[in-house]
Amino acid sequence: MLRKIIHIDMDAFFASVEQRDFPELQGKPVVVGSSSDRGVIAAASYEARKFGVRSAMASKVALRRCPKLIFQKHRFEVYKEVSAQIREIFFEYTDLVEPLSLDEAFLDVTENKKGIDSATQVAREIKQKIFERTQLTASAGVSANKFLAKVASDQRKPNGMYIIRPKDVQAFVEQLPIEKFFGVGKKTAEKMHLLDIHKGKDLLRFDLPRMVHYFGKAGQYFYDIARGIDERPVRPHRERKSVGIENTFGKDLIDEQQIKLEINRLKEGLAKRLSKSGKAGKTLTLKVKFDNFEQITRSKTTEQLISNRLLDELCTDLLAEAPLNRPIRLLGLTVSNFNTEKETDALQLKINFED
């Protein structure tokens, strides 16, 4: 059976919520984040994006690009509430909902609760209901698999919808710039350019062994998506693999006592998040980012679940192992290895915004 997959992506979600709740901001270049020298942009309105302002950009760079930029302090609880409203709409159509973040999700509507045969109609109804209930717009991509639906949702933003029908898949993928392939980051794109790969059609020159040779495990994925193939199912229950907390500091930490004080604060926050999540793990990871943006991590794994007492001991050990002889921009702690799982590349609960 041909699958019917929808990718819903809210348009400039955090910034759009701010513009909705504060009408005086509508039509203006708005960002969510701090305007301090060490601030980072969490989200940018489309008016701000016209100036080249993007999420994850340093605030001082954003201000140079748009001196009239309006900064709004984040309101994560509000964003979570709105996200929950939107997911309620998704579940009216299907239980096969895979959230990627607060503002986007995959839906498998091959068999849906409304009995609607057209995935396009489902996407159109969902977009309309989102607007009616939240006064926010969303963009939708509709196709036969997750890769195609994700790429499609980026084609007509904001407030658009794009359908990639089975008969059009190969032609669409072949003309798609490699930078727009879901899963191709900056470094991978640069490597592909060195191999004279610029569009999807260029990937077709490489057989599977060569793709694996150049890109390792990701080679199989790139080989498949170049042919419009993506067998990954929509997974409604994405189990959390780690719980973490991190903080970017307004001023670099240079003193040992400052570092220990901040680690203690992180430990307290991490303990609260672990308690709230009901999770316990066996691996603790310390993350350090220095003033030159170089980043290191140190981890320790125990045979028993990490208690508060053990958390103190592990932090002391990790601090002793890490070369903390340079100014520190960021510190983070993550507990992972739940239920004997060994993976640590999972959900991070981050604090990246200065109050």
Side-chain angles (χ1 to χ4, degrees):
M1 179 187 296
L2 190 67
R3 292 190 298 163
K4 299 173 183 178
I5 309 298
I6 298 172
H7 180 256
I8 298 290
D9 192 0
M10 299 302 297
D11 299 322
F13 184 50
F14 294 176
S16 294
V17 172
E18 296 302 318
Q19 289 179 314
R20 179 198 69 176
D21 292 350
F22 302 97
E24 66 273 16
L25 299 178
Q26 293 178 9
K28 297 180 179 179
V30 176
V31 294
V32 175
S34 168
S35 60
S36 70
D37 286 343
R38 304 301 296 272
V40 178
I41 304 300
S45 69
Y46 281 94
E47 294 85 357
R49 294 182 189 189
K50 292 177 182 178
F51 292 88
V53 176
R54 296 286 185 271
S55 62
M57 177 180 286
S59 297
K60 59 184 180 182
V61 175
L63 274 169
R64 285 201 297 268
R65 296 188 177 187
C66 181
K68 293 185 178 181
L69 206 56
I70 300 172
F71 286 82
Q72 288 289 103
K73 185 177 178 181
H74 63 78
R75 297 183 298 148
F76 284 127
E77 290 307 313
V78 175
Y79 310 148
K80 289 177 183 177
E81 290 174 7
V82 178
S83 179
Q85 281 183 276
I86 295 166
R87 289 185 191 175
E88 286 178 5
I89 296 171
F90 297 160
F91 288 121
E92 292 176 15
Y93 291 86
T94 178
D95 290 328
L96 295 179
V97 177
E98 181 180 338
L100 300 181
S101 61
L102 290 179
D103 60 347
E104 63 175 318
F106 287 113
L107 292 76
D108 188 330
V109 297
T110 309
E111 296 179 357
N112 58 83
K113 297 176 181 179
K114 304 281 188 178
I116 300 173
D117 186 58
S118 169
T120 302
Q121 182 181 337
V122 173
R124 188 175 292 115
E125 287 188 13
I126 288 174
K127 278 170 48 65
Q128 182 62 31
K129 286 184 179 181
I130 288 174
F131 183 75
E132 290 173 354
R133 298 182 194 179
T134 70
Q135 292 76 58
L136 299 171
T137 63
S139 294
V142 182
S143 197
N145 61 47
K146 290 165 73 172
F147 166 72
L148 294 169
K150 169 72 174 174
V151 173
S153 67
D154 289 332
Q155 297 302 302
R156 290 181 180 166
K157 292 181 72 69
N159 197 24
M161 184 164 66
Y162 194 86
I163 301 95
I164 305 176
R165 295 176 172 81
K167 66 182 180 64
D168 301 323
V169 167
Q170 198 57 53
F172 176 86
V173 174
E174 287 184 12
Q175 59 78 40
L176 191 68
I178 208 68
E179 291 83 0
K180 293 189 176 181
F181 274 57
F182 180 51
V184 176
K186 183 179 179 181
K187 289 186 178 179
T188 301
E190 290 174 353
K191 185 173 183 179
M192 288 186 173
H193 288 164
L194 291 174
L195 295 169
D196 199 26
I197 301 172
H198 302 280
K199 292 187 176 182
K201 63 182 179 181
D202 300 322
L203 285 169
L204 297 176
R205 303 197 315 266
F206 295 76
D207 59 19
L208 181 56
R210 289 179 69 201
M211 290 299 293
V212 173
H213 170 74
Y214 286 119
F215 301 103
K217 292 181 180 179
Q220 176 74 64
Y221 171 71
F222 295 142
Y223 179 85
D224 288 341
I225 62 174
R227 292 155 178 80
I229 300 169
D230 182 3
E231 301 295 340
R232 295 174 300 158
V234 172
R235 299 184 183 277
H237 302 294
R238 303 182 72 199
E239 184 165 355
R240 177 178 293 180
K241 301 289 182 62
S242 70
V243 174
I245 184 170
E246 61 183 40
N247 199 1
T248 300
F249 307 110
K251 292 184 178 179
D252 293 334
L253 304 183
I254 56 176
D255 180 77
E256 183 179 349
Q257 288 303 115
Q258 287 180 309
I259 296 171
K260 289 182 177 179
L261 178 62
E262 293 300 336
I263 286 291
N264 284 334
R265 288 175 178 169
L266 289 173
K267 282 191 298 187
E268 291 175 5
L270 180 58
K272 289 179 181 178
R273 292 183 177 187
L274 285 167
S275 176
K276 186 175 181 180
S277 70
K279 296 284 189 179
K282 298 180 180 180
T283 299
L284 179 69
T285 300
L286 169 69
K287 175 181 175 181
V288 182
K289 185 180 290 185
F290 298 105
D291 59 335
N292 62 352
F293 289 88
E294 181 185 345
Q295 181 175 301
I296 63 169
T297 59
R298 295 291 185 272
S299 297
K300 274 191 174 295
T301 298
T302 65
E303 294 184 359
Q304 62 194 83
L305 295 174
I306 297 173
S307 62
N308 285 345
R309 178 187 60 78
L310 192 53
L311 183 62
D312 289 336
E313 294 178 9
L314 292 174
C315 282
T316 299
D317 291 344
L318 291 174
L319 281 174
E321 291 182 6
L324 306 180
N325 55 354
R326 285 175 288 167
I328 294 172
R329 176 185 177 86
L330 174 150
L331 287 171
L333 291 173
T334 300
V335 169
S336 58
N337 195 3
F338 302 145
N339 300 323
T340 72
E341 288 285 345
K342 298 298 180 184
E343 295 130 297
T344 58
D345 86 76
L347 174 65
Q348 281 265 0
L349 301 175
K350 296 181 180 179
I351 299 178
N352 273 335
F353 312 105
E354 300 163 55
D355 295 329

